[in-house]
Amino acid sequence: MLKFFNLNKIYQYQLICLAFLLPLTVAGSNIIILSIILIWIFSGDYKSKFEQIYSSKLLIVSILFFSIHVLGLLWTEDTGWGLHIVKKMWYFLLLLPVLYTIVEIKYTKHYVSSFLLAITITEILSYLVWFEIIEPFKNATVINPTPFMSHVSYNPILAFAIYLAVHKILYNEKLSRLQLILYSFFTISMSINMFITGGRAGQVMFFAMLVILVFQYFRSQKIKAILGVLILLPSIFFAAYQTSSIFHSRVDVAIDNVVNYSQNKNTSVGERITFAINSWEIIKENPLIGVGTGDFPNEYKKVNSINTPQLIPTTNPHNMYTLVTVQLGVVGLLSMLAIFYTQIKLSLQNNNKFFRDVGITLPLLFLVIMWSDSYLLGHYTTLLFIFFSSFLYKNFEEN
């Protein structure tokens, strides 16, 4: 029956819709993903699909990363939790390969524009809540106006959207005057929005994004790039610190939590430090292949009861590197890093400025924020990573 439809057009409409729904709704994006996968499975032409998958270095390391999680079930004691983790990793086995085989480079601008439109809507609603023009809804509060997701996911996604908008302003010569004004306005408003919401990881990602952007702009002028960073970052930080009460407060609290860690172990920052210290005890005992895909909660509970019994044990150390290393050891960590290495390597070999710049920026930003949380486990950030990975690196591998 599918042969009577133009599958490519159906796929492209679905992908554009997925880009739009990605930062807005879990249910909506999951419905689109399910429909894409079902059509992909029943549309045949399997030989061509698997040839594309087999010939892609990125997909090979992605599937390897997933497969090591499955192998980790062999030496785990808590198979139930292990299956829970494996389920969260399915993006790397199925979704990325499926999307990779159906995306088309010529539609990249439509994917990106649809995503930016959704972020713009989210940002506008965030301001309406913040100014108390509309009542807070879903996750939003007046103090922390992130309507469709928590600030943990919102701010990193917002930082990446700002990067895409600035890149379009700097390098897209086809923008009309009106488009240039609109992109510039929303870039500024999104940047302000970054500091009226409480996602510290996203704010760190924002500053990291600025560093990358400056060095990409002054690619062959390192002195200017360094000077630009030294001027731009402190200026924005000082302005945000002086004008945003929530940013001011969270910076002060973070500094106090680190400086006075022994008195602040039960805080957001203090807990992350404690998780890292306790997890290191597990890693030292199981460095090569870890404790197994499902045994982090149980093993952490044992160490926590000895080192920090006054604190509640966790099932997630809020650090992707720590989680993977505890579960799967150095082998698992290297398999994860291989994904980012492959992305950066492919991007450096690409002569197209958009795909080279954005292709390098995406993994670098995730390498930064994964120190503060397990961003390859959450729906919104993992889907962002997978969706953009599906077309950012296909351009080079097709050449």
Side-chain angles (χ1 to χ4, degrees), residues 209-233:
M209 175 271 295
L210 289 178
V211 173
I212 295 168
L213 198 58
V214 170
F215 273 91
Q216 288 177 343
Y217 186 74
F218 296 106
R219 189 175 305 277
S220 59
Q221 300 170 295
K222 302 302 182 188
I223 301 300
K224 286 187 177 180
I226 294 171
L227 289 174
V229 168
L230 293 176
I231 294 171
L232 186 62
L233 265 66

Side-chain angles (χ1 to χ4, degrees), residues 7-45:
L7 274 181
N8 182 57
K9 283 188 177 180
I10 293 174
Y11 280 141
Q12 300 317 311
Y13 284 127
Q14 288 177 314
L15 290 168
I16 292 169
C17 186
L18 178 59
F20 179 76
L21 294 176
L22 188 159
L24 299 178
T25 167
V26 174
S29 57
N30 281 341
I31 290 171
I32 297 296
I33 289 169
L34 179 61
S35 67
I36 288 173
I37 292 175
L38 289 176
I39 292 173
W40 189 87
I41 291 173
F42 290 108
S43 61
D45 196 19

Side-chain angles (χ1 to χ4, degrees), residues 99-160:
L99 294 181
Y100 184 92
T101 60
I102 66 174
V103 294
E104 290 198 8
I105 303 308
K106 64 181 179 180
Y107 291 104
T108 296
K109 64 179 181 180
H110 298 295
Y111 307 150
V112 174
S113 296
S114 183
F115 170 72
L116 289 177
L117 176 60
I119 293 296
T120 300
I121 293 171
T122 303
E123 173 210 356
I124 291 171
L125 291 172
S126 176
Y127 276 116
L128 291 176
V129 171
W130 192 59
F131 284 115
E132 300 186 62
I133 296 173
I134 63 174
E135 289 293 320
F137 64 100
K138 297 190 73 173
N139 292 295
T141 64
V142 174
I143 297 175
N144 195 9
T146 57
F148 298 112
M149 64 190 85
S150 76
H151 61 260
V152 174
S153 298
Y154 177 70
N155 287 67
I157 292 176
L158 183 63
F160 186 65

Side-chain angles (χ1 to χ4, degrees), residues 229-247:
V229 168
L230 293 176
I231 294 171
L232 186 62
L233 265 66
S235 300
I236 294 177
F237 181 91
F238 179 78
Y241 187 77
Q242 293 298 321
T243 58
S244 171
S245 59
I246 188 170
F247 181 67

